[in-house]
Amino acid sequence: MLEFVSRRSKVRRRGRVAVAAAIASCVVVIGATAAAAFGGFGFNPFGTQQVGLTSANGVLLPTNQWISPLGTRILDKQERLVSSTLSPNGTYVAALGWNEFSGYLTIIDLKTQTIVDHTGLATPGAPATDYSVAADGPLFSRDGTTLWVPQSTFLLRFSFDPTNGTATQTAAIPLCGSPLTEPQCNPNTGPSNADGAELPSGMAYSPDGSKLYVALNGANKLAVIDNPAATTPSVSSTIPVGNAPRQVVISPDGTTAYVSNEGGRPATPGEFTNLSDGTPIVSNKSTGGAITGTVSVVNLAKGTETQEIPVGLQPTALHQEGTTLFVANSNDDSLSVIDERHNLVTQTVNTNPIPGQKAGSYANAISMVGDKVLVSIGRDNAIAVYRYRGLYEPMTLQGLLPTDWYPVQVQPDPQLAAGDVVVTNDKGIGAQGPPSTINKGPYTAPGAENVTDHNTYDDTGSVTVFPLPDQGGIQQGTQTVYTDNDWEQIKPINEGDYDTVPKVIPAHLGDPSPIKHIVVIIKENRTYDQVLGDLGEGNGDPADAQFGAPITPNAHALAYRFGVL
């Protein structure tokens, strides 16, 4: 079974060494220095800078991007930060962390800029302990004394002390479509059917706090918990919604829930589908990816879905302002604006700041300050700022604000300081956490059996805090984002500059080229030095080459023959 809908996987994967073969023209071995990343071309915006080091441009990433974020950086060297939320008093960020296949609840004090609590998530259950963490959450109660944390097979409740930021687990609600003893409830294996782990995701309280609603990403349902404050809370009922529900918000009057469905609407007979968690998803015949995205409208009094509103592909984040609902469509770089009074889309906004760019921006979080809508665009390491003047007045892009690597949350925090904005960045400054020791047995060569250095799992995450700039500051931030992403090169590349072989580089994005296919062979979880450190070319260290030429002769042969990037 292939899973193409972007549901959360319970087994996270990390950085890779890649070998790329470009059919009809080249085979390239991917290396670790950005300086060589443009080897055969006549330009090199990254000079001789090395990935991970800080220069006047900022920290250089392996993705050929700099990061030079706005504001103050609070660095977490223990983990990636995959999702977060602000405490109601504005003092704390509660984040879901991930490192070495284990999840954590991390509390960051924004005033002291320190981590004040760090709890490993290890919920015992048959057939295995749940160490996972969700892609959404956590969620605070309105008084800030309760915190909900979703895993794969459990939803955890913590009591929270807003005076010192400590969290203590008080309950665990099992969420699996079968008895916990069944193999399909194992949180350490990928989702396979709708009767397995239900993958709780986004959550919302009713306006009076008496009910908790939970999107069950793996079960295509909205769960209702009638008394979340009970000593032993449990799911009271479930409501079928669209495919792969991700987030949920409740209307101000408490009568209606809106649920974003990553996998879109249910399939009808005769449509091409691809399975995701046992659910047939209406899919593209070439890619297998979902070709619909919807927002479910749920009548909470009747406990039924009454409508699915078509939006863009892979709708994820939701943000509600009164009766206006903003929807981030992550897989087609757009933002849908919905009028909840009539349950219809009034406008769709492009969230890719470079028209025609093939690499997506991946909108994944939304908030609002005054008349400005802030949209996290993860792949561009930026917050896009739009002006909003009403449901039917076209939103306009005001500019971009630079962040650390891959922002996943943006929220205003006026209680911290007037105008302050808090951004959570999944990958922080890259794999620059404490060095790790890798031991792969006595047959490594020429590197030692034990090698200690930075590896692909030495993750970091970060939180950046800044006052929202005026328009002049937004324009300065826009220029920084353009420089950090090297977007100044897009125009000359599109026009064929630096092309030493005529028409290999198309004159425009999407134009034909003699290169017809690119095959990428992924070598998972290994650094450049571990495999090619003994190559004698590029920037490698033979002492770290645990899988050097004696063990990987084919990879080395490709590198010698076609060159190293």
Side-chain angles (χ1 to χ4, degrees), residues 164-348:
N164 59 23
T166 57
T168 304
Q169 185 178 327
T170 59
I173 303 174
L175 292 171
C176 186
S178 302
L180 284 179
T181 54
E182 296 297 318
Q184 55 263 41
C185 294
N186 188 335
N188 302 315
T189 59
S192 58
N193 62 73
D195 294 325
E198 294 184 327
L199 307 182
S201 191
M203 301 161 286
Y205 273 102
S206 60
D208 64 2
S210 65
K211 297 179 185 294
L212 180 69
Y213 299 95
V214 186
L216 300 180
N217 189 262
N220 309 321
K221 297 176 182 178
L222 180 67
V224 183
I225 300 173
D226 277 339
N227 185 8
T231 302
T232 308
S234 61
V235 173
S236 309
S237 61
T238 58
I239 304 169
V241 290
N243 294 327
R246 181 66 181 269
Q247 291 193 5
V248 56
V249 297
I250 308 301
S251 63
D253 62 8
T255 62
T256 306
Y258 293 88
V259 182
S260 57
N261 301 307
E262 292 183 282
R265 61 172 174 78
T268 58
E271 290 186 301
F272 179 82
T273 60
N274 192 17
L275 289 179
S276 176
D277 245 14
T279 299
I281 304 295
V282 185
S283 301
N284 182 290
K285 291 183 179 180
S286 298
T287 67
I291 59 173
T292 73
T294 63
V295 171
S296 290
V297 182
V298 178
N299 183 317
L300 294 176
K302 295 181 179 180
T304 59
E305 178 193 71
T306 60
Q307 180 182 350
E308 286 193 33
I309 305 171
V311 291
L313 300 183
Q314 196 187 347
T316 53
L318 300 176
H319 178 76
Q320 191 174 50
E321 287 284 331
T323 57
T324 300
L325 181 63
F326 298 92
V327 185
N329 304 308
S330 298
N331 210 31
D332 68 1
D333 299 335
S334 69
L335 184 76
S336 298
V337 183
I338 293 175
D339 181 353
E340 292 183 2
R341 297 168 301 178
H342 305 291
N343 291 330
L344 56 82
V345 175
T346 63
Q347 59 177 301
T348 301

Side-chain angles (χ1 to χ4, degrees), residues 27 128 276 511:
V27 175
S276 176
D511 282 358

Side-chain angles (χ1 to χ4, degrees), residues 32 34 46 50-53 58-67 381 403-406 427-432:
F46 301 100
Q50 184 172 334
V51 167
L53 298 184
V59 178
L60 185 58
L61 301 177
T63 52
N64 286 334
Q65 296 169 298
W66 285 291
I67 46 172
N381 305 327
T403 67
D404 270 346
W405 193 0
Y406 212 90
K427 299 183 180 182
I429 59 173
Q432 297 193 53

Side-chain angles (χ1 to χ4, degrees), residues 447-462:
E449 181 177 335
N450 292 284
V451 171
T452 300
D453 213 327
H454 289 294
N455 194 22
T456 51
Y457 289 100
D458 300 331
D459 295 318
T460 63
S462 73

